[in-house]
Amino acid sequence: MSLPAPDSDTPPEHWRYARHLEALAATPGETVEAEVVAAVLRDPDRVMAESAVVTHLDRRAAGLLTDEGFTAWARAMSGVLADRAFPERRLREWSLLKAVTCGEPWAAAELTGASDWCQRTAVRLLGSYEALELLAADARTRRVRSAAAERLRRRPVVPRSELKDAP
């Protein structure tokens, strides 16, 4: 990715955002990553910094969604996201998506009360019949309800009860 130069016509927050994303993507492990996230969140432009962190969270969480390392990563991230409502909520919602994806306990109220982003992402990523059925009936927006219903009609989804009975 070609980053704009600080002295170009690009506004400073744009090149800082790009540099933050580059630094976050290059982190080798949860400890260093948490330190870099904390450094990004110290940027004086709070909105831009949180946006960069959330973009990073989205990228990393999507890659770790079915990985055993997700829990340790989420724990490390939650330690540095304190008092940052938007990034904290996004991390909680990724944790919910992970729970549904991996067959871990989750509550219907969590999914129906989740943000529009989370519900749209759930419809796109999840294969859980239970979650898609719930969203088709009770999602926040007609768009998500329709997408979930369409996904149930078009894609093979194994009901959770059949997963338990499988050898």
Side-chain angles (χ1 to χ4, degrees), residues 37 41 53 57 74 76-85 87-89 91:
V37 166
L41 290 173
V53 167
L57 292 176
M77 291 301 100
S78 68
V80 296
L81 298 178
D83 300 323
R84 301 291 186 135
E88 279 182 319
R89 179 173 184 161
L91 184 60

Side-chain angles (χ1 to χ4, degrees), residues 83-141:
D83 300 323
R84 301 291 186 135
F86 180 45
E88 279 182 319
R89 179 173 184 161
R90 185 59 62 91
L91 184 60
R92 275 194 315 275
E93 289 180 335
W94 273 113
S95 295
L96 170 61
L97 293 171
K98 190 237 188 272
V100 175
T101 299
C102 294
E104 298 167 2
W106 58 279
E110 285 180 278
L111 191 54
T112 57
S115 70
D116 294 347
W117 169 87
C118 182
Q119 291 183 355
R120 285 192 310 272
T121 302
V123 169
R124 192 179 83 246
L125 295 180
L126 300 180
S128 164
Y129 182 84
E130 183 180 3
L132 291 170
E133 196 171 56
L134 176 67
L135 291 172
D138 295 323
R140 293 164 46 104
T141 67

Side-chain angles (χ1 to χ4, degrees), residues 162-167:
E162 289 181 27
L163 289 174
K164 291 178 184 175
D165 298 335

